[in-house]
Amino acid sequence: MKLQRKNGLRATALGALAVSGALVLTACGSDDNAPGNGSGGNSGEKTAATSNIDCGDAKGQLLAAGSSAQKNAMDLWVKNFQAACSGVEINYQSIGSGGGITKFTQGQVAFAGSDSALKPDEVTESQKVCKDGKGINLPMVGGPVAIGYNLPGVENLVLDGPTLAKIFDSKITKWNDEAIAKLNPDAKLPDTEIQAFHRSDESGTTQNLHAYLSASAPNEWKHDPKSKSWEAPGGQAANGSSGVAAAVKGAENSIGYFELSYATAQSIPTVSIDTGASEPVKATTENASKAIAAAKVKGTGNDLALELDYATKAEGAYPIILVTYEIPCDKGNKAETLPALKAFLNYAVSDEGQKVLADADYAPLPAEIAAKVREIVPTLS
């Protein structure tokens, strides 16, 4: 992995879960070294997780690309779907949300994965490839964006929105800064420089962190809360969630952000967030679910884009959350891939698809939202 020093602006921005073993997925994006990546075939007997999968008329190859946040979930879904449905190959490229949307609007993939909903101009672009239709946002995966750190001798680090904003904006540069010490009175904080890592690629994970910092620290964070690209000065850049996690793992006195599954897989400690509730909130799937459950649908028609409350102060609600959307055409999907598209998405949002992810650090979709997605998938045409 190459780390690049930041020059100017750098590129970077509910539930379900996944760390997987060998599988048939060909992931040729930025997160090839992410936990659970591998290759295999459609061999083996069906397990309980695959026995209820309805393959329909699915056949051939289904191409998709996008979010690295959901890669570990996608790996497990692909493994189970291909084990149940012979003759189908799902190829998901983990290249970041921005890259996935670009491939989708250029007609290169059947669906994109994105940690932020389509922007109006992206919807317009999608109409060029979705005959008589447009791209729609279908929430499928959710979970916490963990703030991982590597600070020997310091356990149970607590930070709040304003302090995180100043760290990532290069306004707090030492670990023993007064603001960090105040939140961690019992910690022995070293007088060392903070190495802050961020995404180099356009990322929905970055966008969700931007949204949290903007909501929780509006006086400290002046950058665009909707940007998928990293805009703050300083810091070092790495490609994909796996790249940032590997960078933090390998560098003492560092801090970065990535999905919880990457922290768990590499035993990277994570920050608890002081939200103003009675106790700091740990980055867990259960705590993320409490925040995600308050999400409201802001999309119209078959579009299920969600509005998240990043400034929540609810007890036990972890505020740095994301929802990854699968983005297909509502109408105008290619006839040769439509059966596989519908069968795969139907499995991913099914009870079985959500349950198999429950131990892999993503948060289950709220039942009401999952039910709406299940109604829409069969109508894709």
Side-chain angles (χ1 to χ4, degrees), residues 231-248:
E231 299 186 351
Q236 297 183 66
N239 196 35
S241 290
S242 64
V244 177
V248 172

Side-chain angles (χ1 to χ4, degrees), residues 16-54:
L17 321 138
V19 175
S20 64
L23 55 140
V24 192
L25 178 67
T26 304
C28 49
S30 60
D31 282 340
D32 289 346
N33 296 321
N37 188 32
S39 62
N42 292 338
S43 59
E45 296 181 0
K46 290 185 179 181
T47 65
T50 64
S51 59
N52 294 322
I53 294 177
D54 182 0

Side-chain angles (χ1 to χ4, degrees), residues 154-234:
V154 177
E155 299 180 355
N156 303 317
L157 185 68
V158 176
L159 297 173
D160 59 12
T163 305
L164 270 173
K166 290 178 181 178
I167 289 173
F168 282 118
D169 209 20
S170 299
K171 294 175 181 176
I172 290 179
T173 59
K174 291 288 190 73
W175 276 112
N176 63 349
D177 186 273
E178 181 181 353
I180 301 176
K182 185 177 180 180
L183 292 165
N184 300 273
D186 298 325
K188 294 182 179 180
L189 298 167
D191 183 20
T192 55
E193 295 285 336
I194 298 173
Q195 292 192 63
F197 289 98
H198 57 265
R199 291 280 290 270
S200 63
D201 52 323
E202 286 200 345
S203 165
T205 308
T206 292
Q207 190 274 321
N208 282 277
L209 178 62
H210 282 169
Y212 162 72
L213 294 174
S214 181
S216 64
N219 294 327
E220 291 80 11
W221 192 258
K222 301 299 185 180
H223 306 290
D224 183 1
K226 296 182 179 180
S227 176
K228 295 185 180 73
S229 300
W230 188 257
E231 299 186 351

Side-chain angles (χ1 to χ4, degrees), residues 57-361:
D57 297 323
K59 60 183 178 180
Q61 185 182 62
L62 186 69
L63 301 179
S67 165
S68 64
Q70 71 165 357
K71 182 198 181 296
N72 297 330
M74 189 63 68
D75 282 357
L76 191 53
W77 284 336
V78 168
K79 176 185 176 182
N80 289 339
F81 186 80
Q82 291 185 158
C85 304
S86 60
V88 182
E89 179 186 355
I90 312 293
N91 185 324
Y92 182 80
Q93 295 180 324
S94 174
I95 59 174
S97 298
I101 290 174
T102 296
K103 280 183 173 289
F104 175 69
T105 57
Q106 292 177 348
Q108 298 178 33
V109 295
F111 69 91
S114 176
D115 308 321
S116 57
L118 290 172
K119 297 177 180 179
D121 62 317
E122 293 169 336
V123 174
T124 300
E125 282 295 307
S126 74
Q127 293 175 323
K128 297 177 183 178
V129 296
C130 301
K131 187 177 181 180
D132 299 324
K134 62 183 180 180
I136 57 172
N137 303 285
L138 300 179
M140 204 71 70
V141 182
V145 177
I147 306 297
Y149 67 97
N150 183 341
L151 197 59
V154 177
E155 299 180 355
N156 303 317
L157 185 68
V158 176
L159 297 173
D160 59 12
T163 305
L164 270 173
K166 290 178 181 178
I167 289 173
F168 282 118
D169 209 20
S170 299
K171 294 175 181 176
I172 290 179
T173 59
K174 291 288 190 73
W175 276 112
N176 63 349
D177 186 273
E178 181 181 353
I180 301 176
K182 185 177 180 180
L183 292 165
N184 300 273
D186 298 325
K188 294 182 179 180
L189 298 167
D191 183 20
T192 55
E193 295 285 336
I194 298 173
Q195 292 192 63
F197 289 98
H198 57 265
R199 291 280 290 270
S200 63
D201 52 323
E202 286 200 345
S203 165
T205 308
T206 292
Q207 190 274 321
N208 282 277
L209 178 62
H210 282 169
Y212 162 72
L213 294 174
S214 181
S216 64
N219 294 327
E220 291 80 11
W221 192 258
K222 301 299 185 180
H223 306 290
D224 183 1
K226 296 182 179 180
S227 176
K228 295 185 180 73
S229 300
W230 188 257
E231 299 186 351
Q236 297 183 66
N239 196 35
S241 290
S242 64
V244 177
V248 172
K249 180 71 173 180
E252 290 188 1
N253 306 312
S254 63
I255 191 169
Y257 59 95
F258 31 81
E259 293 66 47
L260 183 60
S261 60
Y262 292 92
T264 301
Q266 299 194 48
S267 300
I268 299 172
T270 61
V271 170
S272 294
I273 302 299
D274 184 343
T275 64
S278 62
E279 296 289 339
V281 185
K282 294 183 178 297
T284 68
T285 57
E286 180 181 4
N287 292 342
S289 291
K290 293 177 181 178
I292 292 168
K296 298 179 180 179
V297 176
K298 65 179 181 180
T300 58
N302 283 348
D303 187 278
L304 297 181
L306 301 177
E307 182 177 352
L308 304 176
D309 182 8
Y310 300 98
T312 180
K313 295 182 180 180
E315 294 295 327
Y318 184 79
I320 317 177
I321 51 177
L322 60 75
V323 171
T324 294
Y325 302 92
E326 313 310 342
I327 301 173
C329 298
D330 58 353
K331 299 177 182 178
N333 293 284
K334 293 180 180 179
E336 61 269 27
T337 57
L338 181 60
L341 172 68
K342 294 169 70 172
F344 180 71
L345 294 183
N346 184 63
Y347 162 63
V349 76
S350 70
D351 285 338
E352 293 79 6
Q354 298 286 297
K355 286 178 181 176
V356 298
L357 304 175
D359 295 323
D361 300 321

